[in-house]
């Protein structure tokens, strides 16, 4: 509402949105956006030399501001360096990620090398996506989906059927 009376405020909001939008996941619905999150986590774990054993999506939620929160539970194994590289990559990576839960445990040493220690990681990781109706300050997913002949879907709000 204030943006209509204050063009400078609108410009700042549009600039912030333009910077943030590439760091969000896209997808015409939660299933597609969650699949993008799982694929991103697969790439990040592979580059960090972490063995991703399982990635399971969880139900997403929609905040009051309209941002979809996508959640994935992962299980993985690596040494300490791999786990640290993974966490650093998630923190400084190209996508906006939040680690909601992180559990580490030491696995029995499978090799005779006492210098190597294998750790098991279990985590819940969140990514974020705009609602299906909007793509940012320049257009909407609804407009672009309609232009491509695709019917956009709506996201359910947290706590509603």
């Amino acid at each position: 509402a204030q943006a209509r009376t204050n063009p400078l405020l609108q410009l700042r909001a549009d600039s912030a949105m333009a910077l943030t939008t590439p760091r969000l996941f896209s997808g015409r619905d939660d299933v597609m956006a969650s699949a993008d999150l799982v694929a991103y986590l697969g790439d990040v774990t592979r580059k960090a030399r972490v063995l991703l054993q399982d990635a399971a999506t969880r139900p997403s939620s929609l905040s009051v501001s309209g941002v979809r929160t996508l959640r994935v539970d992962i299980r993985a194994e690596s040494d300490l360096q791999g786990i640290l590289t993974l966490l650093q990559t998630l923190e400084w990576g190209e996508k906006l990620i939040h680690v909601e839960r992180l559990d580490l445990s030491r696995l029995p040493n499978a090799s005779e090398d006492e210098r190597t220690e294998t750790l098991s990681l279990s985590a819940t990781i969140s990514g974020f996506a705009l609602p299906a109706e909007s793509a940012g300050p320049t257009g909407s997913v609804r407009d672009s989906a309609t232009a491509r002949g695709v019917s956009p879907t709506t996201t359910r709000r947290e706590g509603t059927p």
Side-chain angles (χ1 to χ4, degrees), residues 61-90:
S61 61
L62 186 64
S63 70
V64 176
S65 63
V67 175
R68 295 182 290 166
T69 302
L70 314 164
R71 290 182 180 84
V72 174
D73 288 330
I74 66 167
R75 285 186 310 111
E77 288 182 7
S78 187
D79 60 359
L80 181 59
Q81 184 62 45
I83 300 291
L84 292 174
T85 301
L86 172 65
L87 294 174
Q88 185 177 31
T89 304
L90 290 173

Side-chain angles (χ1 to χ4, degrees), residues 52-132:
L52 182 62
Q53 296 174 318
D54 186 40
T57 60
R58 293 184 42 205
S60 63
S61 61
L62 186 64
S63 70
V64 176
S65 63
V67 175
R68 295 182 290 166
T69 302
L70 314 164
R71 290 182 180 84
V72 174
D73 288 330
I74 66 167
R75 285 186 310 111
E77 288 182 7
S78 187
D79 60 359
L80 181 59
Q81 184 62 45
I83 300 291
L84 292 174
T85 301
L86 172 65
L87 294 174
Q88 185 177 31
T89 304
L90 290 173
E91 182 176 1
W92 297 102
E94 63 187 49
K95 294 293 187 179
L96 188 58
I97 296 291
H98 175 73
V99 178
E100 292 184 14
R101 179 186 60 84
L102 178 68
D103 296 321
L104 291 175
S105 60
R106 179 178 178 223
L107 294 176
N109 202 358
S111 70
E112 294 182 19
D113 183 6
E114 292 297 322
R115 298 175 303 161
T116 304
E117 186 171 67
T118 304
L119 299 174
S120 174
L121 174 139
S122 176
T124 300
I125 298 175
S126 297
F128 304 94
L130 292 176

Side-chain angles (χ1 to χ4, degrees), residues 8 12 25 34 38 43 45 54-55 79 93 97 111 119-120 125 131 134:
L8 184 57
R12 286 186 182 165
F25 291 92
S34 294
V38 170
D43 289 343
T45 55
D54 186 40
D79 60 359
I97 296 291
S111 70
L119 299 174
S120 174
I125 298 175
S134 68

Side-chain angles (χ1 to χ4, degrees), residues 27-29 66 68 130-135 140-142 152-155:
R28 66 178 179 258
D29 57 26
R68 295 182 290 166
L130 292 176
E133 296 84 30
S134 68
S140 75
V141 170
R142 183 176 305 279
T153 60
T154 57
T155 305

